[in-house]
Amino acid sequence: MGQKREIDDRFKKFGTVSFTSFSKVNDFVDYLEDGKIMTTRCKDCGLVFFPPRADCYQCLSSNMEWVEISGSGRLISYSKLEYAPVGFGDDLPYSIAVLDYGDFKVFGRIADNIPESDISVGMEFKTVVNHLPNGQLNYVFQKT
Amino acid sequence: MGKVAIIGVGQSAFVRGYPGSIRELAFEGFKEAMQDAKINTKDIDASIICSAPEYDKQRSPAGVFAEYLGLTPQPTFYVETLCSSSSTGLKLAYALVHSGLHDVVVVLGFQKMSEISSAESQERMGRGADIQWESPFGTMMPAYYAMYARAHMAKYGTTSDDLALIRVKAATYGRINEKAVYRKPVTFEMFSDPESPMSNPVSSPLRVGDCCANADGSSCVIIAGEEKAKAFCEKPVWIRGLGAASTAVNMSGRDLFTGLTVAEHASRQAYKMAGVTPKDIDVAEVHDCFTIAEMMAYENLGFAKPGEGKELIKSKETYKEGSIPVNIDGGLLSKGHPIGATGGSQIRTIVLQLRGEAGQMQVKDPEIGLVHNIGGVGLYGNVTILGR
């Protein structure tokens, strides 16, 4: 009897609906389960990425280390959706946004508990892990 | 190598729910372009078929179309850059002709969007973004462009009212374009009337009236090298400048949220190749998939300085009688946006304008025209400059 091959499809747990099952940066999902938002830095040239990557285009190295995203980022822009693509209707309404952390930017959602009237471009937010009602994981932007 | 000209243009009517198959839809645009060029299928050396493939059950439509259009055994190629597929097709066709490899090439764009629901369509279009890191958040095209609108408003004081003016202009010309899917008038007041669907929020700050109409359609552009163009065609329209660019698909990788860098890069290339400046452009077609997209196009193409696009629309300078007429065929907003057919339709509009054959939509005596065609959320940018 041959050994049963382990299928590492952890990435399918990311987001309300995941469109990707396999990635070399699957550990991102394990870190989310531990309450951490992590990204990758190239150990050879020092370039920091978001989203995490397995490979560095600057020096062609695949020698990456995980670093935690801490502190706050400035809100570049956002939009509150009143319609959703198939599979996301139960989440409505929700807002997508981009934060500027200086060395990198993060795309994600704004936390549901923040009314749109409290949001303005330029505000500081932190990125935190979010457990979705369907058992999936993502991250959201919360007030600092 | 010599010059390259457009010798024939055509498009189907842009409609909701085309009652036929994709090959039949393609035939409509092709037939009009062939009758325009007054040539025979034997005169054509190659075809380039352009669309965004996720709407179709047919895999590899190029071969199917080549057979249906009578373009076998000539070579056929399939090209895709989302909503700018047929502008990209034109650029590649230019390269084939300019290199001397072929003399006459057909660029055929098409899309039949109506076989799936609007929500399914949004899901497919959303997957033109980063499916690993963004789509799991529930993204769709209007939401991305809405973020650009919000950033433009925050930096430059642009308002939703400014954007509404762009839709009002589009509808003015959609009414007189018999190929347009949306022929009804749109008034400024509709945007503040809760009874009007135009005022319904889609993704803040964009409303229904800020968004283009999905449609089914096909477009066709036939190009030829200088010698054949002069032999076949009384009024060849010359391809003077071509520019194309790409950027990060993920918003995290973008540096600009008040404009599209791909449009800046592509227009710079096209202006340089054509040896002209924004002031030389007499008529333009820009990719107004959303009202904010046209506003950013004014600025990225150099028709207005960054942040001053709103002044162009407020003063009606982009109307037919203005200093830089833009989208005098209703644009994507009213003419409709059948993804793969859009670029070719924009090219057709400018060719008709330069020949003086645009009928009620005719701008006064234009010599140089420009087409700005964007794929995805500013992921691919294409700018084409045409001249008499």
Side-chain angles (χ1 to χ4, degrees):
Chain A
M1 291 288 282
Q3 211 175 351
K4 197 177 170 188
R5 198 164 150 232
E6 283 288 319
I7 296 173
D8 180 5
D9 58 358
R10 284 172 286 162
F11 209 85
K12 71 180 182 189
K13 216 177 166 191
F14 179 61
T16 307
V17 179
S18 176
F19 299 92
T20 308
S21 297
F22 309 101
S23 174
K24 289 179 181 174
V25 291
N26 269 341
D27 286 352
F28 179 76
V29 175
D30 289 351
Y31 284 120
L32 284 184
E33 290 191 1
D34 292 344
K36 290 179 184 165
I37 318 288
M38 304 286 278
T39 194
T40 56
R41 178 167 58 204
C42 175
K43 285 171 88 167
D44 291 340
C45 75
L47 203 58
V48 179
F49 300 99
F50 193 90
R53 299 168 55 111
D55 310 293
C56 177
Y57 59 74
Q58 182 166 275
C59 71
L60 303 182
S61 166
S62 296
N63 192 14
M64 291 283 176
E65 63 184 349
W66 287 96
V67 289
E68 188 166 3
I69 294 178
S70 56
S72 65
R74 188 181 55 83
L75 183 68
I76 294 174
S77 195
Y78 72 97
S79 176
K80 182 183 167 193
L81 287 79
E82 304 288 345
Y83 292 91
V86 167
F88 295 87
D90 291 345
D91 292 356
L92 284 173
Y94 55 87
S95 295
I96 59 169
V98 184
L99 293 190
D100 188 356
Y101 274 83
D103 287 344
F104 55 87
K105 300 182 184 78
V106 178
F107 172 90
R109 271 195 203 172
I110 294 177
D112 286 341
N113 61 358
I114 308 175
E116 194 180 11
S117 53
D118 283 7
I119 303 169
S120 61
V121 169
M123 276 173 64
E124 295 285 322
F125 287 86
K126 59 187 177 185
T127 305
V128 299
V129 174
N130 180 47
H131 292 261
L132 288 152
N134 66 357
Q136 294 281 98
L137 283 166
N138 69 2
Y139 56 81
V140 294
F141 305 140
Q142 192 62 264
K143 281 188 183 176
T144 52
Chain B
M1 290 294 160
K3 299 193 288 183
V4 178
I6 294 172
I7 62 166
V9 289
Q11 74 164 82
S12 71
F14 286 179
V15 297
R16 294 253 163 122
Y18 178 73
S21 66
I22 54 172
R23 70 191 73 182
E24 293 154 1
L25 177 60
F27 189 81
E28 296 204 13
F30 178 69
K31 178 181 174 178
E32 196 177 278
M34 288 294 281
Q35 290 176 338
D36 182 41
K38 298 184 189 69
I39 59 171
N40 188 282
T41 49
K42 288 191 200 70
D43 299 318
I44 294 167
D45 300 313
S47 58
I48 297 181
I49 310 300
C50 319
S51 78
E54 65 275 14
Y55 296 93
D56 306 314
K57 294 207 167 54
Q58 178 68 55
R59 285 188 68 205
S60 197
V64 176
F65 285 13
E67 186 235 317
Y68 197 76
L69 305 177
L71 297 178
T72 54
Q74 298 97 310
T76 184
F77 311 97
Y78 182 68
V79 167
E80 184 273 322
T81 55
L82 297 167
C83 322
S84 64
S85 296
S86 44
S87 282
T88 304
L90 182 72
K91 177 161 182 156
L92 298 177
Y94 177 95
L96 290 176
V97 172
H98 195 255
S99 67
L101 198 59
H102 297 302
D103 285 330
V104 181
V105 177
V106 161
V107 180
L108 193 137
F110 79 100
Q111 210 76 61
K112 188 159 187 266
M113 304 174 74
S114 62
E115 282 185 20
I116 53 175
S117 73
S118 181
E120 283 179 305
S121 163
Q122 286 304 340
E123 192 258 353
R124 279 167 175 72
M125 279 195 263
R127 284 194 281 121
D130 182 339
I131 64 144
Q132 184 170 358
W133 295 101
E134 291 187 341
S135 304
F137 285 101
T139 58
M140 56 178 189
M141 299 297 282
Y144 283 112
Y145 267 100
M147 287 202 294
Y148 277 84
R150 175 89 62 201
H152 203 275
M153 289 173 173
K155 182 164 184 188
Y156 297 121
T158 308
T159 65
S160 290
D161 284 352
D162 298 333
L163 298 182
L165 292 175
I166 286 175
R167 181 56 204 261
V168 171
K169 174 175 72 71
T172 301
Y173 300 115
R175 289 187 77 184
I176 56 171
N177 183 352
E178 61 182 24
K179 303 268 193 183
V181 68
Y182 197 90
R183 306 288 306 275
K184 291 184 268 187
V186 176
T187 65
F188 182 72
E189 290 70 32
M190 286 178 182
F191 282 83
S192 51
D193 176 3
E195 298 293 308
S196 168
M198 291 293 154
S199 69
N200 287 347
V202 172
S203 195
S204 69
L206 298 183
R207 299 166 286 186
V208 169
D210 291 301
C211 304
C212 68
N214 287 353
D216 298 343
S218 67
S219 64
C220 186
V221 178
I222 304 173
I223 71 165
E226 186 166 6
E227 200 176 306
K228 288 248 169 121
K230 285 179 174 167
F232 284 136
C233 190
E234 285 171 22
K235 290 185 192 172
V237 168
W238 302 100
I239 299 173
R240 295 270 190 88
L242 291 158
S246 62
T247 189
V249 60
N250 195 303
M251 293 299 116
S252 312
R254 304 273 177 106
D255 291 324
L256 185 68
F257 289 84
T258 52
L260 301 181
T261 55
V262 291
E264 294 177 337
H265 288 301
S267 64
R268 216 172 291 142
Q269 294 166 26
Y271 286 134
K272 188 178 174 197
M273 180 174 164
V276 300
T277 69
K279 284 191 174 58
D280 297 316
I281 305 300
D282 300 313
V283 59
E285 281 281 299
V286 309
H287 194 90
D288 58 333
C289 48
F290 300 95
T291 49
I292 180 63
E294 178 163 328
M295 180 78 74
M296 293 192 294
Y298 294 164
E299 300 169 7
N300 299 152
L301 295 170
F303 300 157
K305 287 182 185 149
E308 294 180 8
K310 57 184 178 292
E311 306 306 331
L312 272 190
I313 186 67
K314 280 184 188 168
S315 59
K316 295 200 167 185
E317 292 294 348
T318 49
Y319 273 69
K320 192 170 82 175
E321 300 76 15
S323 58
I324 174 65
V326 173
N327 293 358
I328 311 303
D329 61 356
L332 284 60
L333 288 165
S334 278
K335 185 178 61 179
H337 182 26
I339 313 295
T342 289
S345 169
Q346 294 177 301
I347 297 284
R348 170 183 173 270
T349 291
I350 294 299
V351 167
L352 295 180
Q353 287 284 355
L354 295 175
R355 288 187 195 155
E357 297 171 0
Q360 273 188 283
M361 296 174 273
Q362 184 64 48
V363 166
K364 190 166 178 259
D365 202 29
E367 287 183 21
I368 299 174
L370 178 148
V371 173
H372 158 279
N373 186 198
I374 302 296
V377 185
L379 175 58
Y380 309 116
N382 294 268
V383 173
T384 307
I385 294 174
L386 305 176
R388 289 199 302 219

